[in-house]
């Protein structure tokens, strides 16, 4: 059996570990694994990548050896025909798409059109439904946690408030986890509103108690009720480039004006996606890669492996993309308790 594989959307630590595991399982089952370059673009334009034994030593390699991109084949007039041609010309019987909500949304639509698709859930944002965690999330929050720990010592030394902008689009999982892990004094996530006044009161209270420094963790997708919308460029899936809105910088400037305290704003940005995956992500990626080939072998198209508790199960792609997994109230309550609100 010839199995195609691609990585699409934002790169995520653990992608190579998934490819490696898929390669190992293909060898065990006597299948051939063919890589496609730069996500859906490779499948549309028939650009393949040889996956060789070299991948066996690359479980720790960040990024993706296949390259990634945000091409949306459903936005291209004859996109489906082009994909069909590539699949037929290469004699491919199944395509494994490693991606987040956009990629798996496409994979789900292709499944409905009769294409043999298997998904693998990835995203540092952890916002995919039907799986407890996505690979890459653990690495991203580990990086954000280390950054906030470091920022705390410099904030303390200089009597400053540092606003740390964390990735995650419209799901606050990364900000929540790294904020809790570092004891951030304010945690702002898109799912729940804290007003500017409430936030500055928390900082004011700290200062009145003699703690003349602070860390505010804010999601890139956060906005106060009165935050103005700014036009920013969108990708092929219609997502705004949120770092362009600079919510961290806006908060820092407003806080300086209101409380007359020194502030700095830091955007963690793509640092959160770079480099080696953590142990947790390496193991999860390996489990997902192995299972994806098992599902391909069994022709369970339209499915994806998912982490449920401590076990890998298979779920329908349609369930994974039916809604965004946003921060639930119980998880948010932890942050509220820590902040004392
Ligand atoms: O979805 C992953 C993610 O890293 C988001 O957290 C972020 O908003 C977005 O991708 C950034 O996209 P790009 O890599 O296109 O700048």
């Amino acid at each position: 059996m010839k199995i195609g594989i691609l990585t699409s959307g934002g790169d995520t630590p653990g992608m190579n570990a998934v490819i490696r595991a898929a390669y190992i399982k293909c060898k065990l089952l006597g299948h051939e694994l063919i890589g496609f370059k730069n996500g859906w673009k490779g499948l549309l334009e028939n650009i393949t990548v040889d996956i060789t034994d070299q991948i066996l030593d690359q479980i720790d390699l960040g990024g993706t050896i296949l390259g990634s991109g945000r091409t949306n084949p459903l936005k291209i007039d004859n996109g489906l025909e082009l994909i069909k041609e590539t699949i037929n010309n290469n004699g491919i019987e199944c395509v494994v798409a490693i991606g987040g909500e956009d990629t798996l949304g496409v994979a789900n639509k292709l499944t409905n059109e009769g294409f043999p698709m298997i998904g693998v859930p990835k995203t540092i944002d952890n916002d995919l439904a039907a799986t407890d965690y996505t690979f890459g999330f653990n690495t991203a929050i580990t990086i954000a946690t280390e950054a906030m720990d470091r920022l705390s010592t410099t904030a303390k030394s200089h009597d400053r408030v540092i606003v740390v902008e964390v990735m995650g689009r419209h799901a606050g999982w990364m900000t929540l986890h790294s904020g809790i892990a570092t004891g951030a004094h304010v945690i702002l996530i898109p799912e729940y509103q804290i007003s500017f006044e409430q936030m500055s009161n928390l900082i004011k209270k700290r200062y009145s108690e003699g703690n003349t420094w602070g860390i505010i963790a804010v999601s890139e997708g956060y906005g106060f009720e009165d935050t103005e919308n700014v036009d920013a460029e969108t990708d092929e899936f219609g997502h705004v480039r949120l770092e362009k809105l600079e919510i961290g910088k806006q908060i820092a400037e407003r806080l300086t004006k209101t409380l007359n305290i020194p502030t700095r704003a830091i955007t963690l940005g793509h640092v959160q996606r770079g480099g080696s995956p953590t142990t947790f992500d390496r193991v999860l990626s390996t489990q997902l890669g192995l299972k994806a080939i098992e599902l391909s072998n069994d022709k369970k198209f339209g499915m994806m492996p998912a982490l449920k508790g401590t076990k890998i199960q298979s779920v329908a792609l349609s369930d994974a993309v039916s809604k965004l997994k946003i921060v639930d109230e119980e998880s948010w309550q932890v942050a509220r308790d820590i902040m004392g609100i």
Side-chain angles (χ1 to χ4, degrees):
M1 184 179 193
K2 278 189 183 175
I3 301 173
I5 192 163
L6 58 87
T7 49
S8 177
D11 71 329
T12 299
M15 278 178 156
N16 288 322
V18 176
I19 299 165
R20 172 182 176 270
Y23 181 73
I24 289 171
K25 193 70 173 184
C26 277
K27 278 190 143 195
L28 285 173
L29 297 175
H31 299 321
E32 189 183 339
L33 190 66
I34 301 172
F36 285 95
K37 182 123 185 87
N38 294 346
W40 297 113
K41 193 174 195 297
L43 208 56
L44 287 164
E45 298 177 14
N46 194 12
I47 315 167
T48 56
V49 179
D50 283 343
I51 303 174
T52 65
D53 280 356
Q54 205 184 352
I55 190 72
L56 297 176
D57 292 331
Q58 294 179 321
I59 193 168
D60 58 335
L61 186 68
T64 161
I65 57 157
L66 299 179
S68 195
R70 295 197 188 274
T71 303
N72 183 351
L74 305 175
K75 282 271 166 76
I76 295 168
D77 281 348
N78 58 344
L80 296 190
E81 281 154 47
L82 291 173
I83 289 179
K84 195 176 265 172
E85 250 173 54
T86 304
I87 288 180
N88 291 341
N89 290 347
N90 290 286
I92 284 176
E93 289 174 61
C94 175
V95 177
V96 174
I98 306 171
E101 46 152 338
D102 298 330
T103 306
L104 299 185
V106 171
N108 184 44
K109 292 227 169 74
L110 291 178
T111 302
N112 296 339
E113 296 289 332
F115 288 84
M117 305 299 305
I118 297 291
V120 176
K122 74 91 213 178
T123 167
I124 60 165
D125 301 352
N126 197 39
D127 58 358
L128 264 175
T131 184
D132 289 352
Y133 288 105
T134 48
F135 78 83
F137 173 65
N138 184 268
T139 307
I141 55 172
T142 303
I143 295 167
T145 298
E146 189 189 342
M148 283 190 217
D149 281 346
R150 289 176 185 278
L151 291 166
S152 296
T153 61
T154 170
K156 206 170 187 171
S157 306
H158 286 268
D159 287 331
R160 283 172 180 159
V161 168
I162 300 190
V163 185
V164 190
E165 189 179 310
V166 181
M167 272 187 171
R169 285 205 177 126
H170 300 293
W173 292 110
M174 280 203 277
T175 312
L176 182 79
H177 280 238
S178 51
I180 292 171
T182 52
H185 307 106
V186 183
I187 297 173
L188 302 170
I189 62 172
E191 293 91 334
Y192 301 93
Q193 264 294 315
I194 288 182
S195 68
F196 182 81
E197 199 189 358
Q198 222 178 343
M199 181 200 73
S200 48
N201 282 343
L202 284 172
I203 298 296
K204 214 155 61 183
K205 184 164 172 279
R206 270 187 70 69
Y207 272 63
S208 69
E209 289 162 355
N211 301 305
T212 51
W213 68 280
I215 294 288
I216 297 175
V218 60
S219 284
E220 59 178 355
Y222 190 79
F224 296 109
E225 269 164 10
D226 54 356
T227 302
E228 275 176 37
N229 277 333
V230 183
D231 279 339
E233 69 187 78
T234 53
D235 65 22
E236 282 194 26
F237 288 89
H239 298 298
V240 170
R241 285 191 53 198
L242 291 165
E243 88 273 13
K244 295 257 179 196
L245 307 183
E246 299 185 310
I247 184 67
K249 197 168 156 217
Q250 287 186 47
I251 292 174
E253 282 169 3
R254 205 167 154 187
L255 209 54
T256 303
K257 271 191 213 141
T258 321
L259 298 184
N260 193 27
I261 52 171
T263 57
R264 293 289 188 271
I266 303 292
T267 301
L268 297 183
H270 296 83
V271 167
Q272 291 157 106
R273 292 202 327 224
S276 245
T278 56
T279 307
F280 180 89
D281 278 336
R282 292 181 200 191
V283 174
L284 176 58
S285 300
T286 300
Q287 290 170 319
L288 294 172
L290 295 173
K291 185 74 177 177
I293 298 304
E294 209 178 290
L295 292 172
S296 310
N297 183 66
D298 297 345
K299 300 194 165 39
K300 297 246 170 83
F301 305 134
M303 303 294 284
M304 70 167 205
L307 182 67
K308 298 273 190 184
T310 55
K311 301 274 179 265
I312 302 294
Q313 298 184 358
S314 55
V315 300
L317 275 174
S318 53
D319 288 344
V321 298
S322 59
K323 60 175 192 310
L324 215 57
K325 185 181 72 190
I326 55 172
V327 174
D328 56 280
E329 285 191 15
E330 203 180 329
S331 303
W332 174 234
Q333 189 57 44
V334 178
R336 287 182 66 92
D337 287 347
I338 301 297
M339 286 188 276
I341 57 170

